[in-house]
Amino acid sequence: MQRVLGRTASAKRQAARRLAKERLKKFKVERYEELLANHAMSSTRATMRREARMRQNEDWQLGPLAPRRDVGQAAESYGTTNTTFMRPPNVPERHRLKHWLVREGDRVVIIKGRDQGKIGDVSAIDEEKETVQIRGLNRIEVEIPAWMRKQDGDTRTTRVMSAPISVKDVRLVHAYLDPDTNIQRDVIVEEVKMCDFWRDPVTKEASYSREIEGLPTSEPAESDGRPQWERIPWPEMKNDEPEKADQDSDTLRITVDEKSFVPTLLRPPMPPSVLDELRNKYSKFRDRHDPEYIATKEAEDLETDARKQMPEWMLQPSRELRERAKNKEKIIKPAVPDLISEEDFLARVGQLMSERTSSQVPLAAK
């Protein structure tokens, strides 16, 4: 059974490593696309600024002899901007705002740009680019290409549009009623706090409210000394969809609300066969197994343990040899005799030489 569990753990580790590689690859692709889009936008802006400076220098040098540039093909499009500025690059998903505290219909103030300090209503929001469009503000004249004019059915070569502006360059404006003077005035909100966050467990949609800090109020301060927070309501959303009429084939509300299943710990929510189809009974990632399968694996483990505890006299010669090699037993070698000393060696040589001399036998014959 331990082998099965180890195989499952190894498969999960391999899947985690594979998923990490895929995420890293996706991150590199998104990063490359982000750099490419930012480079294209920066290059377009730099080209337009360079051409504008060249025309300005030429007009200053020539004076009254400077040529007219609003003639010919550029008669209607001279001084307009490219549609590229209406489509800023997307913000990478890892850097996007998770929860927006500004919605369509809110009143905001621009804090950067030529319309700095002006207040307007948010007409559109682009969460992928983190931009907002303010009705009547930040308007630019855009040259419309031919394919777009043909698609829209509008023959105008230029149009005045509200260019998108980063959500970081706007601040929420709240209509505050002063309790002392009873006069309503606009207040620029520096910090907006999210509260009452809740996520639907079924649809996974998040709902939350927003509130601001620092407005004077006639209500008594809190006991713990924390600042007062005032709730800001969300703008009313206009629902342009027509109301749907009830049909005879529609399911009744009472039927939808009726509880047809009550969960209990005494039985599974569905038959085991259905669970096997959903979880893939033979998957290598499976953690839960049938009782019969677990009993079989446990019996195999017990048999293996019993085989390891077998007495030595029941071991076969090959098994005994493997056990010795496993335990790294040393084979006892015969003892090596001690070497003779130098004096004994010389005495033995002298004895042999005297024996040969007394026998009068030539050494070669020997």
Side-chain angles (χ1 to χ4, degrees):
M1 192 64 191
Q2 296 297 329
R3 184 179 300 177
V4 176
L5 298 178
R7 182 187 62 186
T8 302
S10 177
K12 289 184 176 180
R13 288 193 297 268
Q14 294 178 3
R17 288 194 295 267
R18 185 165 56 251
L19 181 60
K21 290 182 179 179
E22 293 178 357
R23 289 178 177 175
L24 180 60
K25 183 178 179 180
K26 182 180 178 181
F27 168 77
K28 291 182 178 180
V29 172
E30 291 181 353
R31 179 61 177 169
Y32 174 74
E33 294 178 353
E34 176 190 359
L35 295 176
L36 195 63
N38 292 335
H39 175 73
M41 179 69 70
S42 302
S43 178
T44 304
R45 290 179 177 176
T47 303
M48 294 182 65
R49 285 195 297 265
R50 184 169 58 253
E51 293 177 355
R53 290 195 186 100
M54 292 175 58
R55 290 193 295 264
Q56 185 180 9
N57 293 336
E58 185 179 359
D59 294 344
W60 179 80
Q61 292 177 1
L62 296 179
L65 298 179
R68 291 187 57 185
R69 307 183 188 277
D70 55 346
V71 293
Q73 296 181 354
E76 297 182 359
S77 61
Y78 181 73
T80 60
T81 58
N82 196 345
T83 54
T84 307
F85 293 95
M86 299 297 295
R87 294 177 285 102
N90 293 342
V91 178
E93 187 175 357
R94 63 186 182 278
H95 294 158
R96 293 177 190 171
L97 295 176
K98 295 183 179 180
H99 309 293
W100 281 63
L101 298 177
V102 177
R103 293 185 180 178
E104 297 181 8
D106 281 332
R107 299 176 66 243
V108 295
V109 60
I110 301 177
I111 61 175
K112 287 184 180 180
R114 61 179 181 178
D115 290 339
Q116 181 179 358
K118 295 183 179 180
I119 299 176
D121 298 336
V122 178
S123 58
I125 290 178
D126 193 338
E127 296 185 359
E128 294 183 354
K129 297 178 174 58
E130 288 191 359
T131 58
V132 296
Q133 290 184 350
I134 305 175
R135 188 178 292 107
L137 297 180
N138 199 30
R139 297 173 68 83
I140 58 176
E141 192 173 2
V142 184
E143 181 184 1
I144 307 300
W147 64 268
M148 188 179 296
R149 295 197 301 267
K150 184 178 180 180
Q151 183 178 3
D152 298 343
D154 194 343
T155 59
R156 292 179 299 172
T157 57
T158 60
R159 302 179 193 174
V160 179
M161 303 180 179
S162 295
I165 184 172
S166 176
V167 69
K168 299 178 181 179
D169 297 338
V170 298
R171 292 292 184 271
L172 189 65
V173 175
H174 176 57
Y176 168 67
L177 181 62
D178 194 341
D180 298 334
T181 61
N182 201 21
I183 298 177
Q184 186 174 354
R185 55 191 178 90
D186 292 334
V187 177
I188 300 177
V189 181
E190 293 292 340
E191 180 185 2
V192 184
K193 179 183 176 182
M194 182 177 60
C195 61
D196 299 339
F197 181 86
W198 183 78
R199 187 181 298 276
D200 193 339
V202 179
T203 61
K204 304 301 181 181
E205 295 182 358
S207 62
Y208 49 89
S209 302
R210 56 183 180 176
E211 57 186 10
I212 59 177
E213 175 193 5
L215 292 179
T217 176
S218 58
E219 299 180 0
E222 298 182 3
S223 58
D224 55 358
R226 293 183 299 174
Q228 291 285 349
W229 292 83
E230 181 176 348
R231 188 71 55 88
I232 302 180
W234 296 107
E236 297 181 0
M237 303 296 296
K238 295 182 180 180
N239 189 7
D240 299 333
E241 297 182 1
E243 296 183 0
K244 298 181 180 179
D246 296 338
Q247 304 294 333
D248 296 337
S249 59
D250 294 343
T251 305
L252 299 179
R253 183 70 182 183
I254 189 174
T255 306
V256 176
D257 295 339
E258 181 182 0
K259 292 184 178 180
S260 58
F261 173 74
V262 179
T264 177
L265 298 177
L266 301 179
R267 62 178 185 275
M270 55 188 69
S273 58
V274 178
L275 295 177
D276 292 337
E277 293 178 2
L278 296 177
R279 295 185 307 197
N280 189 0
K281 183 177 181 180
Y282 304 100
S283 174
K284 59 183 179 181
F285 300 103
R286 183 167 181 174
D287 294 330
R288 301 177 182 178
H289 302 277
D290 297 335
E292 297 81 4
Y293 182 79
I294 297 176
T296 303
K297 291 299 180 181
E298 290 180 351
E300 293 178 359
D301 295 342
L302 293 177
E303 183 179 355
T304 303
D305 295 341
R307 193 180 297 111
K308 291 180 179 180
Q309 298 176 2
M310 187 182 301
E312 296 183 358
W313 59 271
M314 296 182 62
L315 295 179
Q316 298 178 357
S318 59
R319 179 66 180 276
E320 184 178 0
L321 183 61
R322 288 197 300 269
E323 291 293 334
R324 287 187 176 183
K326 183 178 179 181
N327 297 330
K328 297 181 179 180
E329 294 181 355
K330 295 182 179 180
I331 302 176
I332 301 176
K333 297 182 180 180
V336 179
D338 297 335
L339 298 177
I340 59 178
S341 63
E342 185 177 1
E343 296 178 356
D344 296 340
F345 176 75
L346 295 176
R348 180 62 177 166
V349 170
Q351 182 180 359
L352 291 175
M353 291 178 64
S354 61
E355 291 178 357
R356 289 183 180 182
T357 303
S358 60
S359 60
Q360 298 295 327
V361 178
L363 186 60
K366 274 279 188 181

